[in-house]
C-alpha cells in the first residue's frame, strides 16, 4: 500500500467511481489513514471507534478482491488481522478471533515481511491462540489449590498453547527484534507454560515463583508501553499503528507491500477443457475461432519452431539486432492479438490471456522500433507505452509461480527507451515493482537473472520516486528559499 497525499474525503470520492479490483489500492490507502486517525484521539471516543470499524470494512473488501495465491493477499490479510486484533484489545470480546487467527496463519505462512513486523504478527497470533485456549481453564475452579499446585488433574489436549509456544520461540530466537516485542513474547511464553501446568500438561507442577516473575515482567512492560497510549498488549498495538514507530504503518518503502490491481477487472478464466458441454453453440463457435486465432498468431510470428516454447521464442524477438519480422507481419500480429483479447468468445484461460497480452506487447514494441528512426521519443504517445501496459497485464494474468513470469518481467527492459528510460513508467511502476518483489523474494533464480530483475525493479522504483518528486516540487511554497536544486533533480530524473 503506497502512501498517498490524498485526504480521507478525496479517497472516499475516488472510491465512489470505482468497482471491482480497481478499488483495492484506494481502499488500502483509505484504511491506513483511518487507522492513523483512530489512534490520534481517545480510543473510547465515538469517532475513533467509527474510524476503526470503517478501516476494517475497507481492508476486508480489499482482501476479498485478491484471489488465493496472489502474493499480496497475505500482506493485505495481515493488515486486516492487525486491525481486528487492535479492535478486540480495545473493546474485548472474541467474535473476530477465529477470523484473526486464520488471517494471521495465512499471512505468516505465505507473506514476505520485515523482521520486526513478522515478529509482531507471530506475537499477535500467539496471543489469539492463548485467548482461545484459556476457555479450557474455566472448569479448573472446582479443583482444590493443593491439587493444582501438585499437578493432580486430568490432562486435556491444548493444541492452541503448543502452537503459541512454537510461534513465541521463533520470535525469541530471531535477531533484530525490538526489546518490547521480545519482552511481550517472553511474557506470553510464560503464560503458555502456566496454562499448560494448570491443564495438567507437562511434567512440572504449578510454580508460584514463575507466576510472580511473570507479573513483574508484565508490570515493567506495562509501564514502558504507557507512553504509547495504552498498557500491555494494547499499548504495543497502538504504538505499532503510529507513523515513525517502525510498525505496520511505517514499513520501509523498499519493503512496503504494493497493492496490485488490473486496469480493467478480469473475470475468472475457464480452461478450454472445463467449459460446460451445454454452452451456447454460437459462443462455443466464437471461442473456438478465438483459440484458433491465438494459435495462428503464434505461427505468424514463427514461435512454434522453438522447442523451448512460445514464451522464450517471443522474448528473443525483443533482443537488440535480432532478426525481426517484416512490417506487414508485425501489423498482422497486432491486429490478431487485439482480436483475441477483445473477442466475446468467453473467458480465456490464464495462460492464454497472458500469452495474448505478451505477444501484443512484443508486436507493439517491434512496430515502435521500426517507426522510431529520426522521430523524437515521447513515451506517452508511442507503442512502447501501450506495450508496457500490455506486458504488465500479461504478468498479472499468470500465476505467481508460472515459469514464464521471469521471461515476461525481464522483457520490460525492451520497453525503456534509451533517450528517456523512465518517461511514462511511473504509472506502471507500482504494478511491475509488486511482481518483481514477489519473484525476487522466492530466491530461486540464477544469479545473473536475479541481477537483471533487481535492476529493473530499481528502475521502477526510480520512476515512482521521480513522479512523487515532481508532485512534491510542484507543491513547494513560493517562499521556500532553495527550490533550484530540487527542480534540477526533477529535470535530471526526467
Amino acid at each position: 500500500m503506497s502512501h498517498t497525499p490524498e485526504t480521507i474525503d478525496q479517497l472516499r470520492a475516488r472510491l465512489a467511481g470505482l468497482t471491482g479490483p480497481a478499488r483495492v489500492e484506494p481502499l488500502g490507502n483509505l484504511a491506513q489513514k483511518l487507522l492513523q486517525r483512530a489512534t490520534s484521539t481517545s480510543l473510547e471516543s465515538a469517532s475513533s471507534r467509527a474510524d476503526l470499524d470503517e478501516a476494517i470494512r475497507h481492508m476486508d473488501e480489499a482482501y476479498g478482491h485478491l484471489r488465493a495465491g496472489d502474493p499480496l493477499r497475505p500482506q493485505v490479510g495481515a493488515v486486516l488481522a492487525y486491525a481486528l486484533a487492535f479492535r478486540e484489545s480495545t473493546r474485548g470480546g472474541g467474535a473476530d478471533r477465529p477470523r484473526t487467527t486464520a488471517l494471521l496463519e495465512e499471512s505468516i505462512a505465505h507473506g514476505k515481511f520485515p523482521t520486526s513486523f513478522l515478529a509482531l504478527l507471530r506475537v499477535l497470533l500467539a496471543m489469539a491462540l492463548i485467548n482461545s485456549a484459556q476457555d479450557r481453564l474455566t472448569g479448573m475452579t472446582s479443583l482444590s489449590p493443593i491439587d493444582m499446585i501438585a499437578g493432580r488433574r486430568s490432562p486435556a489436549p491444548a493444541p492452541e498453547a503448543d502452537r503459541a509456544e512454537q510461534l513465541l520461540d521463533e520470535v525469541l530466537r530471531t535477531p533484530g527484534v525490538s526489546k518490547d516485542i521480545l519482552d511481550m513474547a517472553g511474557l506470553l511464553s510464560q503464560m503458555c507454560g502456566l496454562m499448560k501446568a494448570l491443564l495438567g500438561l507437562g511434567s512440572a507442577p504449578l510454580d508460584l515463583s514463575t507466576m510472580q516473575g511473570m507479573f513483574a515482567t508484565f508490570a515493567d512492560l506495562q509501564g514502558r508501553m504507557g507512553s504509547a497510549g495504552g498498557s500491555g498488549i494494547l499499548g504495543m498495538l497502538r504504538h505499532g499503528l503510529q507513523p515513525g514507530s517502525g510498525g505496520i504503518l511505517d514499513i520501509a518503502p523498499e519493503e512496503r507491500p504494493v497493492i496490485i490491481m488490473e486496469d480493467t477487472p478480469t473475470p475468472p478464466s475457464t480452461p478450454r477443457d472445463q467449459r460446460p458441454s451445454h454452452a451456447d453453440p454460437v459462443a462455443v463457435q466464437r471461442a473456438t475461432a478465438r483459440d484458433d486465432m491465438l494459435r495462428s498468431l503464434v505461427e505468424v510470428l514463427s514461435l512454434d519452431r522453438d522447442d523451448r516454447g512460445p514464451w522464450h521464442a517471443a522474448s528473443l524477438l525483443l533482443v537488440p539486432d535480432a532478426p525481426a519480422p517484416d512490417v506487414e507481419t508485425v501489423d498482422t500480429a497486432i491486429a490478431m492479438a487485439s482480436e483475441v483479447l477483445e473477442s466475446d468468445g468467453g473467458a480465456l484461460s490464464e495462460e492464454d490471456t497472458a500469452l495474448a497480452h505478451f505477444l501484443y506487447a512484443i508486436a507493439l514494441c517491434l512496430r515502435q522500433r521500426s517507426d522510431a528512426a529520426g522521430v523524437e521519443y515521447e513515451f506517452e504517445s508511442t507503442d512502447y507505452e501501450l506495450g508496457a501496459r500490455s506486458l504488465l497485464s500479461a504478468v498479472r494474468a499468470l500465476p505467481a509461480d508460472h515459469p514464464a513470469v521471469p521471461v515476461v518481467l525481464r522483457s520490460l527492459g525492451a520497453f525503456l527507451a534509451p533517450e528517456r528510460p523512465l518517461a511514462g513508467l511511473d504509472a506502471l511502476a507500482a504494478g511491475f515493482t509488486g511482481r518483481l518483489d514477489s519473484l525476487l523474494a522466492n530466491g530461486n533464480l540464477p544469479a545473473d537473472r536475479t541481477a537483471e530483475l533487481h535492476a529493473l525493479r530499481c528502475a521502477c522504483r526510480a520512476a515512482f520516486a521521480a513522479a512523487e518528486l515532481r508532485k512534491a516540487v510542484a507543491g513547494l511554497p513560493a517562499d521556500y528559499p532553495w527550490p533550484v536544486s530540487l527542480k534540477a533533480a526533477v529535470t535530471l530524473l526526467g
Side-chain angles (χ1 to χ4, degrees), residues 422-424 426 463-475 490-491 493-494:
L422 302 185
D426 56 299
F464 182 80
E468 291 297 299
L469 179 60
R470 284 194 295 272
K471 295 176 186 176
V473 170
V490 171
T491 302
L493 291 173

Side-chain angles (χ1 to χ4, degrees), residues 221-441:
L221 186 61
Q222 184 182 46
R224 291 207 310 270
M225 296 306 294
S227 61
S231 61
I233 190 65
L234 173 57
M236 185 179 69
L237 286 169
R238 184 168 185 169
H239 182 62
L241 289 170
Q242 298 296 330
S245 67
I248 189 171
L249 300 183
D250 199 48
I251 297 174
E254 64 272 14
E255 297 176 318
R256 188 176 300 139
V258 179
I259 297 296
I260 300 177
M261 59 189 172
E262 296 292 347
D263 295 329
T264 303
T266 303
S269 58
T270 305
R272 287 192 294 272
D273 58 356
Q274 294 182 17
R275 290 177 187 145
S277 58
H278 58 276
D280 179 5
V282 175
V284 172
Q285 184 178 10
R286 289 174 178 169
T288 302
R290 182 204 53 214
D291 296 341
D292 290 342
M293 183 171 291
L294 180 58
R295 286 193 292 271
S296 297
L297 173 59
V298 172
E299 295 171 359
V300 163
L301 293 174
S302 302
L303 306 179
D304 55 331
R305 303 174 188 176
D306 194 317
D307 294 338
R308 289 169 291 186
W311 297 95
H312 179 79
S315 70
L316 294 179
L317 295 175
L318 297 173
V319 176
D321 301 324
D326 57 49
V327 174
E328 182 178 354
T329 299
V330 170
D331 287 341
T332 299
I334 291 174
M336 294 176 71
S338 298
E339 180 66 23
V340 170
L341 292 170
E342 296 173 4
S343 64
D344 57 357
L348 283 164
S349 69
E350 290 178 336
E351 185 167 358
D352 284 352
T353 298
L355 182 60
H357 276 296
F358 189 44
L359 299 183
Y360 183 53
I362 288 174
L364 287 170
C365 184
L366 294 175
R367 185 170 71 178
Q368 174 66 39
R369 288 180 181 176
S370 66
D371 293 342
V375 179
E376 184 178 354
Y377 179 71
E378 290 292 341
F379 190 100
E380 289 80 5
S381 61
T382 67
D383 288 330
Y384 279 140
E385 191 269 346
L386 295 175
R389 289 185 180 277
S390 193
L391 192 73
L392 182 56
S393 295
V395 76
R396 283 172 171 165
L398 286 171
D401 58 350
H402 195 283
V405 170
V407 178
V408 177
L409 287 173
R410 181 175 183 264
S411 301
L412 174 60
F415 296 83
L416 308 181
E419 298 85 355
R420 295 177 60 201
L422 302 185
L425 183 60
D426 56 299
L428 311 174
F432 277 118
T433 301
R435 291 307 189 212
L436 287 162
D437 281 342
S438 175
L439 180 60
L440 290 168

